[in-house]
Amino acid sequence: MRREELQELLNRYLAGECTPSQKRMVETWFNQLSKEENELPYAPDWDIVKETIYDRLPQPKRHTRSIWLSVAAAVVLLVIAGSLHWKTSPTDKNDVQAKTESALKEANQIMLTLSDGKTLVMDKDQQGIRIDNMSIRYLDGNYPAIANSTESFDVRAGVKLSTPIGQQFRVVFEDETEVLLNAASTLSCPKVFSNDRREVHLDGEAFFKVSKNKDRPFYVKTLNQEIKVLGTSFGVSAFAEDETVKTTLVSGSVLVQPKNTRLAGVELSPGEQSILAKDKLRKEHVDTDSELSWLDGSFSFKSDDIQSVMKMLQRWYDIEVHYEGQVSKERFNGVIPRSESIDPVLELLEKTKSVRFKKEGRRITVMQ
């Protein structure tokens, strides 16, 4: 990654404009740099800038305040072009740049993060992993390796699986429950379920096939709701940056309970979808094939505005989206295959005559 691209990425992070995958890239880089306690130069308003970045870091990823302030300094060093200079030799600069590029490249991979902070980079040629009370293995039986380490690892306290833009990954648990994690999503789970409940946490989108066990109900927790399952298959779309959380039931039954206790939960039957938005929960009958079209490699739009459409595309393609002029109020319907490139998708959207695109590298400008 060139210096200019890195500066743009960090500026987007500070402005709160990163996609989930870009945000994860920056925070993975933070985590990498937190292990390096290099002395960095002083700049005007240094403390204010450091505090601003520090306050935006996710709580679980903070090690100690002193280390994170050093990390924040490293970020500002690249964000404020020309205002700072390294106090190290060219060799040291090259080493830091190499570490930065390595961390960012690693963040574009499917990642398994352990409770002690160690990370495992998943083999992109593998279809998924199996987690049980003895080990973590790929579905073909091979063991994954810890990134840049030959140490053993302990996953008793749980793991977190994260997918980048444009990639999916499968998880099979010891009870044969399966989860297919969609792109730009994160699934957190224990290595071993408790005797009375099975529980996972989702940020993003996933499809679940839950093994039936009435004595150990399965729970899927998201930012705004909890789903109780006895044995069924269903999809959940719960990206933290989206205004709505959708749960689509294919078979069995589930109980969807908002975390806002003033709202009553709803029980879904096959072919129904719950929609939680703005402290309101409702359910409706849907075409499950259309709602879960991502399982078959397609994008499905159902009365979606252009901003919702572009969010879907961002989670699959490595693009930056900008808007010029008045944003179209047109609603889009239909199913579009995920192509090898984004160009055919944009061409199909332009055929509606309600929106136009200007493509400059990764930057896509949406115009009316």
Side-chain angles (χ1 to χ4, degrees):
M1 179 176 289
R2 293 178 299 161
R3 180 185 179 89
E4 293 79 8
E5 293 174 336
L6 182 57
Q7 284 180 219
E8 182 179 356
L9 176 61
L10 294 171
N11 278 320
R12 286 176 60 81
Y13 181 88
L14 294 177
E17 299 174 350
C18 277
T19 65
S21 181
Q22 290 171 334
K23 185 172 180 288
R24 189 158 57 246
M25 284 174 65
V26 174
E27 290 170 357
T28 299
W29 181 44
F30 287 169
N31 200 38
Q32 177 74 18
L33 287 182
S34 70
K35 302 170 186 176
E36 307 290 333
E37 298 187 60
N38 298 318
E39 289 296 325
L40 295 168
Y42 176 84
D45 297 327
W46 190 250
D47 290 336
I48 295 176
V49 176
K50 289 190 294 186
E51 290 289 338
T52 300
I53 299 176
Y54 174 81
D55 288 341
R56 293 187 182 183
L57 297 175
Q59 292 286 345
K61 292 188 178 181
R62 296 180 181 176
H63 296 284
T64 65
R65 192 170 183 83
S66 61
I67 291 178
W68 275 117
L69 292 182
S70 294
V71 175
V75 175
V76 176
L77 188 65
L78 293 173
V79 172
I80 307 175
S83 64
L84 303 173
H85 301 278
W86 292 101
K87 290 186 178 179
T88 55
S89 67
T91 301
D92 292 333
K93 286 193 290 184
N94 292 338
D95 183 56
V96 170
Q97 180 68 13
K99 289 178 180 177
T100 297
E101 292 180 354
S102 175
L104 289 172
K105 182 179 180 182
E106 185 175 283
N108 269 327
Q109 307 293 324
I110 300 170
M111 304 289 296
L112 191 71
T113 304
L114 310 179
S115 58
D116 60 4
K118 292 190 177 109
T119 56
L120 289 78
V121 180
M122 300 290 96
D123 186 341
K124 64 180 180 180
D125 294 326
Q126 293 284 344
Q127 298 299 309
I129 56 174
R130 174 179 288 274
I131 301 176
D132 58 35
N133 58 3
M134 294 297 293
S135 64
I136 293 178
R137 296 191 185 192
Y138 290 123
L139 296 182
D140 67 3
N142 291 321
Y143 287 98
I146 296 178
N148 305 318
S149 175
T150 58
E151 300 175 20
S152 61
F153 55 91
D154 181 3
V155 293
R156 287 174 295 181
V159 297
K160 180 172 69 176
L161 181 70
S162 299
T163 53
I165 288 173
Q167 296 188 54
Q168 301 171 347
F169 209 61
R170 191 178 304 276
V171 180
V172 180
F173 293 104
E174 44 87 15
D175 65 346
E176 300 304 323
T177 289
E178 295 185 26
V179 182
L180 179 60
L181 194 62
N182 202 3
S185 302
T186 298
L187 182 74
S188 301
C189 57
K191 179 171 176 279
V192 181
F193 292 126
S194 67
N195 292 329
D196 59 350
R197 64 188 284 141
R198 298 166 289 169
E199 180 178 304
V200 299
H201 294 250
L202 174 68
D203 177 6
E205 189 166 28
F207 185 75
F208 295 81
K209 291 183 179 179
V210 178
S211 296
K212 188 171 184 178
N213 187 334
K214 64 179 181 180
D215 296 324
R216 284 204 303 171
F218 194 95
Y219 293 86
V220 179
K221 292 191 172 184
T222 69
L223 181 63
N224 298 317
Q225 72 175 28
E226 176 181 282
I227 305 167
K228 181 180 179 180
V229 187
L230 292 179
T232 183
S233 59
F234 61 100
V236 182
S237 179
F239 290 96
E241 68 271 20
D242 285 356
E243 294 182 355
T244 60
V245 179
K246 296 181 179 180
T247 305
T248 307
L249 186 64
V250 175
S251 65
S253 65
V254 299
L255 175 64
V256 179
Q257 178 63 59
K259 289 188 177 178
N260 182 343
T261 55
R262 292 176 297 175
L263 298 177
V266 297
E267 186 170 344
L268 299 182
S269 298
E272 291 184 330
Q273 178 184 79
S274 68
I275 303 170
L276 176 63
K278 296 181 179 178
D279 290 332
K280 291 183 179 180
L281 178 65
R282 59 185 174 87
K283 69 176 182 178
E284 60 184 37
H285 290 279
V286 296
D287 179 351
T288 57
D289 288 339
S290 175
E291 290 295 325
L292 300 171
S293 63
W294 65 270
L295 295 171
D296 298 320
S298 300
F299 298 105
S300 177
F301 310 127
K302 187 180 71 172
S303 193
D304 290 307
D305 60 28
I306 189 60
Q307 291 170 311
S308 298
V309 169
M310 297 310 293
K311 275 185 181 180
M312 292 185 205
L313 299 185
Q314 275 187 300
R315 289 165 186 156
W316 190 251
Y317 300 105
D318 186 18
I319 59 173
E320 294 181 4
V321 178
H322 301 266
Y323 295 88
E324 184 177 292
Q326 187 174 358
V327 178
S328 172
K329 295 182 180 179
E330 186 74 17
R331 296 284 172 165
F332 295 83
N333 295 278
V335 178
I336 300 177
R338 285 172 172 168
S339 307
E340 291 186 3
S341 71
I342 193 174
D343 295 332
V345 178
L346 298 180
E347 290 172 7
L348 284 171
L349 291 172
E350 283 187 329
K351 287 182 179 180
T352 64
K353 305 297 184 183
S354 60
V355 68
R356 294 182 296 117
F357 302 99
K358 180 170 64 177
K359 190 168 179 285
E360 301 169 294
R362 292 175 53 249
R363 180 187 176 101
I364 301 213
T365 303
V366 183
M367 302 171 290
Q368 206 169 358

